[in-house]
Amino acid sequence: MDTGIEKHNVIVIGMDGSESSRRALHWAVAQAKVTGATLEAVMAWAPPFPWGRPPTLPTGPDPEEETRKRLAEEVDSVLGPHGALDVEEIVVRGQPAPALIAASKHADLLVVGSRGHGAFAGTLLGSVSRHCVTNATCPVVVVRHHSPGVH
């Protein structure tokens, strides 16, 4: 499918702080080493929307800055503070699935974990990864989280 958008050997990784997303980053790093691709780690944040009253942003720490710090910590936990590969860290205001679909438009590959912090932790494929598989404009790799004792 020709989207009319030129791609440049870019792997986008969806990050949410879960073990599954860290496994996805590990996989993407290994793939980038083989292919010479550049890596973009994307983490989304959205303000809470309470029912029945107008939304207000919480007071205190800036949620975008907190997300930026969390993403940097996640990338460092996988690569170390002086990792062999550069990973562009991108923070997006919005819901994760639409943010990753938008990023897929300039990517050659989108890598996501099989499930994150959603309510249905027992499902094989989370709602974000399912949305990416069915809507991304590039190939999608879903990295499964292995349960203890299962190989």
Side-chain angles (χ1 to χ4, degrees):
M1 168 173 72
D2 182 14
T3 61
I5 297 173
E6 189 174 339
K7 299 182 181 195
H8 300 285
N9 204 16
V10 173
I11 299 174
V12 171
I13 309 101
M15 299 294 296
D16 67 0
S18 67
E19 179 61 29
S20 188
S21 73
R22 284 187 291 280
R23 286 182 185 269
L25 180 57
H26 276 288
W27 190 93
V29 165
Q31 184 67 16
K33 287 179 181 176
V34 170
T35 63
T38 58
L39 298 173
E40 295 180 3
V42 176
M43 185 177 274
W45 70 276
F49 290 104
W51 294 97
R53 59 186 170 119
T56 57
L57 289 176
T59 58
D62 175 22
E64 184 169 346
E65 186 57 34
E66 290 298 310
T67 304
R68 194 170 311 287
K69 288 178 188 175
R70 197 166 121 214
L71 178 56
E73 290 169 358
E74 290 295 316
V75 170
D76 286 350
S77 76
V78 171
L79 295 177
H82 305 290
L85 291 175
D86 285 332
V87 177
E88 183 178 356
E89 298 168 5
I90 301 169
V91 172
V92 178
R93 181 179 178 170
Q95 295 299 318
L100 293 172
I101 296 306
S104 78
K105 292 178 181 173
H106 73 270
D108 295 285
L109 185 65
L110 173 60
V111 182
V112 294
S114 60
R115 58 183 177 208
H117 292 296
F120 301 103
T123 61
L124 292 177
L125 195 63
S127 60
V128 172
S129 54
R130 180 177 292 121
H131 187 81
C132 290
V133 166
T134 58
N135 293 289
T137 60
C138 67
V140 178
V141 171
V142 179
V143 178
R144 296 217 29 217
H145 177 76
H146 297 286
S147 300
V150 177
H151 302 287

